[in-house]
Amino acid sequence: MAPRYAVFGHPIAHSLSPQIHAAFGRQTGIALEYTAIDVSIDDFHAALEAFAAGGGRGANVTLPHKQLALVLCEHLSERAQRAGAVNTLVRTEAGWDGDNTDGAGFVRDLTERHGLDLRSRRTLLLGAGGAAHGVAPALIDAGIGELTIINRTPDKADALSDALGQPGRVHSRYWSDLGNQGAFDFIINATSIGRESTSFSLPYSLATPRTLAVDLSYGEAAIPFMAWARSAGCHTVVDGLGMLVEQAAESFERWHGVRPDTRPVYEQLLRKSDMLATAD
Ligand code: NDP
């Protein structure tokens, strides 16, 4: 039987991860089984242990389990510790090793696939959930300028800002004060608003014709923010599909010691999403 891997989340039915890891496996000649496991937060720990007992060697963790996964690990990578969230688990004799590949995947997609220079950009991060925790340390390492974090629940933005440990460079603000923040060179939507709502409203004063706008979501969930960014006149508008493939490649390398070529897998997913968008 092929070694077992899985992604745990809730909901998880529409996850592209099984497709991506199967494609990486075919490309690299590595036999693997990768499934999606839908489990509630209350049942996550038991499901993870059952998976390990059944031969599970590694897992991805997504919404809403990333912070719980952190406390279930025996060992954490530095980037998982800095993120305060885990999206990749590796089974060892001692238990689970936790890592976070979201930030590396995010930066690699923007700098390598899209050829963007992130350095010195005055940056606005919307959201302070698991994904925002993953990308914020990687943004700092990528050399962005000032970072402003805004979240519906302000305490979480304060906590993320404090955890980054750069008070001169990183600060949190209230959502209601967005209109007074001036313009940004880089705006990141790390909220899940687009999963619940078809509209996204922000002051147009946040954007300039040089602004890079990136949504971590992809597919239909990215449409509201990307529509706002285009109508605000942002220079470049990117969704989270490339990040998804890059963070998966980072996980794949952790598990199998081989880095897959992400380009054909990204292009195939892009073609599929274009076909779906024009299907009706
Ligand atoms: P979490 O549930 O951990 O966080 C959700 C965030 O969205 C919180 O900041 C929450 O604010 C905010 N939010 C939710 N609803 C609203 C609303 N109606 N108004 C304002 N803010 C809202 O989710 P994740 O951080 O894991 O994921 C966020 C998004 O990023 C998802 O759409 C996910 O698909 C995407 N993602 C993409 C990845 C990729 O590889 N491309 C990887 C990881 C995530 P509050 O704290 O107040 O609840």
Side-chain angles (χ1 to χ4, degrees):
M1 204 173 74
R4 292 185 67 203
Y5 298 85
V7 56
F8 289 81
H10 184 64
I12 199 68
H14 299 293
S15 172
L16 295 173
S17 293
Q19 218 176 305
I20 294 171
H21 282 274
F24 288 163
R26 282 193 300 275
Q27 184 196 95
T28 55
I30 293 172
L32 60 96
E33 179 194 303
Y34 187 111
T35 52
I37 300 180
D38 193 327
V39 62
S40 71
I41 200 104
D42 290 342
D43 296 332
F44 175 58
H45 189 187
L48 199 57
E49 289 315 300
F51 176 68
R57 301 230 192 128
N60 286 125
V61 181
T62 188
L63 195 141
H65 304 314
K66 285 183 184 176
Q67 271 124 344
L68 177 55
L70 185 91
V71 298
L72 299 177
C73 288
E74 292 301 321
H75 176 264
L76 294 170
S77 67
E78 192 204 343
R79 54 191 186 179
Q81 287 177 37
R82 285 175 75 201
V86 159
N87 81 332
T88 303
L89 293 164
V90 185
R91 191 68 186 174
T92 68
E93 285 191 358
W96 292 109
D97 269 11
D99 195 2
N100 193 311
T101 65
D102 279 342
F106 179 70
V107 169
R108 188 184 285 264
D109 178 54
L110 296 178
T111 56
E112 296 191 13
R113 176 170 295 106
H114 295 284
L116 295 161
D117 187 350
L118 306 182
R119 287 172 299 173
S120 304
R121 287 184 187 255
R122 182 169 191 254
T123 301
L124 173 64
L125 177 61
L126 301 166
H133 276 77
V135 302
L139 288 168
I140 300 290
D141 293 349
I144 60 158
E146 185 193 359
L147 175 63
T148 301
I149 305 173
I150 292 203
N151 193 49
R152 175 178 62 180
T153 310
D155 292 356
K156 292 193 200 165
D158 295 344
L160 176 55
S161 170
D162 290 349
L164 291 167
Q166 303 217 1
R169 185 174 175 198
V170 181
H171 42 254
S172 51
R173 294 284 180 264
Y174 291 114
W175 199 283
S176 53
D177 289 339
L178 260 177
N180 310 323
Q181 301 305 313
F184 290 87
D185 309 307
F186 187 10
I187 303 176
I188 302 153
N189 177 32
T191 75
S192 50
I193 295 175
R195 288 171 168 238
E196 302 158 15
S197 166
T198 52
S199 68
F200 203 106
S201 175
L202 294 173
Y204 283 153
S205 58
L206 296 173
T208 75
R210 292 185 315 278
T211 302
L212 162 64
V214 183
D215 198 329
L216 266 51
S217 300
Y218 45 87
E220 287 193 359
I223 291 173
F225 175 76
M226 290 176 74
W228 172 84
R230 290 198 181 95
S231 48
C234 290
H235 184 269
T236 307
V237 183
V238 174
D239 74 3
L241 189 64
M243 170 186 171
L244 180 77
V245 179
E246 294 302 331
Q247 61 79 28
E250 289 271 327
S251 300
F252 191 90
E253 191 173 6
R254 274 297 310 258
W255 295 328
H256 308 292
V258 178
R259 182 155 202 103
D261 179 4
T262 54
R263 190 181 42 82
V265 179
Y266 172 74
E267 286 174 0
Q268 192 189 13
L269 291 174
L270 199 59
R271 276 196 301 277
K272 273 193 187 164
S273 63
D274 285 349
M275 272 159 52
L276 285 177
T278 52
D280 52 4

